[in-house]
Amino acid sequence: MNKICGVLCALSVLLISFASGKTVERPGNVTEVTPTSTTTPPSPGKLLLAIHYEALCPDSMYFIRRRLYDALNSYNWWPNTDLKLYPFGKAGFYNNTATGELQVFCQHGDEECELNALHACIIETLDIQNAFKLIYCMLRSYSNQLNKCSRELNLDVSKARECKASRKTPEILAPYGKETLKLGISFVPSIVFENDFNPYEQSSIRYNFERFFCKEYLKKFNIKLPTCD
């Protein structure tokens, strides 16, 4: 009986040793245990991508709906992209001397300012992928499609509605305007990789977006994505 107990104890120690990955020394011999490691593959790096656009700009609509959406979804680049959306474009702020309030003007009129602010509230209140899906849908039209698109996508936009109803448009757009105005953009949309704005290549980036994305990703991470030529 004592011998059986001794064998069982030895086996117990050995099993614990395998679990812990430690070396166990027994009288008269040494047993070395090699731990079994399960290495989790590293998460893919994310390339910072900023899109400065306008809600009623035809070129913005085209780029987001025909180039950016296809790249992120068809090429499965969402895991590789840190997307930032700035619905401001070639807008600006001014002080209304009659009221003493800060006002905002937009390239395509007051309606665009209101839609830009609505987009901003969507971006603030939804995760980026759902916000992008909703904005993609809304950019099918030159009018407010929030109700229709949120129903189609089954998204709760109550917080976005509250954001837009409870705050003034210049206040909502202020942080987006701050980031856009410091670039001094001359065309919308403007596309920025890793906070490095290149005004002279914007046309090439818009029409060859996938090639530029692949090049910038390779430059930052030294990794060629599978969908890059």
Side-chain angles (χ1 to χ4, degrees):
M1 187 68 179
N2 290 335
K3 289 183 178 180
I4 294 173
C5 289
V7 171
L8 290 174
C9 288
L11 287 173
S12 299
V13 171
L14 187 58
L15 288 172
I16 293 171
S17 302
F18 271 103
S20 63
K22 295 180 180 178
T23 299
V24 179
E25 186 174 346
R26 302 296 299 160
N29 68 335
V30 175
T31 302
E32 293 186 357
V33 178
T34 303
T36 303
S37 62
T38 55
T39 304
T40 304
S43 299
K46 291 196 172 190
L47 185 69
L48 180 58
L49 171 65
I51 310 297
H52 297 263
Y53 73 100
E54 296 166 344
L56 294 181
C57 167
D59 291 302
S60 294
M61 292 175 169
Y62 178 85
F63 175 77
I64 290 173
R65 288 187 52 81
R66 299 298 178 88
R67 304 305 299 263
L68 182 60
Y69 181 88
D70 288 347
L72 292 174
N73 292 282
S74 299
Y75 296 150
N76 192 30
W77 281 350
W78 273 114
N80 310 103
T81 307
D82 182 9
L83 179 64
K84 306 293 184 185
L85 298 174
Y86 295 93
F88 191 80
K90 295 174 72 175
F93 297 104
Y94 68 96
N95 287 315
N96 187 324
T97 54
T99 63
E101 293 182 337
L102 182 69
Q103 301 290 330
V104 60
F105 62 89
C106 295
Q107 183 172 206
H108 299 95
D110 291 341
E111 185 180 0
E112 181 172 75
C113 287
E114 297 306 316
L115 284 173
N116 283 348
L118 182 57
H119 284 207
C121 284
I122 290 167
I123 294 162
E124 287 181 20
T125 56
L126 294 177
D127 67 87
I128 188 58
Q129 289 199 41
N130 279 325
F132 183 74
K133 284 193 295 185
L134 182 56
I135 288 170
Y136 166 83
C137 177
M138 292 172 66
L139 289 177
R140 292 184 304 193
S141 171
Y142 288 95
S143 60
N144 186 350
Q145 297 291 304
L146 180 64
N147 292 337
K148 181 179 179 181
C149 289
S150 60
R151 283 196 304 268
E152 286 180 10
L153 297 169
N154 194 28
L155 290 174
D156 180 4
V157 292
S158 57
K159 290 183 179 178
R161 293 183 195 281
E162 182 184 353
C163 163
K164 181 65 176 68
S166 62
R167 297 159 62 193
K168 293 183 178 180
T169 295
E171 176 195 346
I172 295 171
L173 290 177
Y176 302 90
K178 178 182 178 182
E179 293 302 314
T180 302
L181 289 170
K182 69 184 182 183
L183 298 179
I185 65 174
S186 60
F187 195 89
V188 180
S190 284
I191 300 127
V192 185
F193 295 103
E194 291 294 318
N195 293 319
D196 184 14
F197 178 54
N198 188 335
Y200 304 107
E201 288 196 327
Q202 286 300 306
S203 179
S204 295
I205 294 172
R206 285 192 298 274
Y207 293 105
N208 301 279
F209 174 73
E210 296 84 356
R211 179 168 63 84
F212 276 88
F213 185 96
C214 290
K215 183 180 75 171
E216 293 295 328
Y217 197 90
L218 179 64
K219 182 171 73 174
K220 181 175 182 181
F221 298 106
N222 198 30
I223 293 173
K224 185 178 181 180
L225 294 173
T227 47
C228 294
D229 294 330

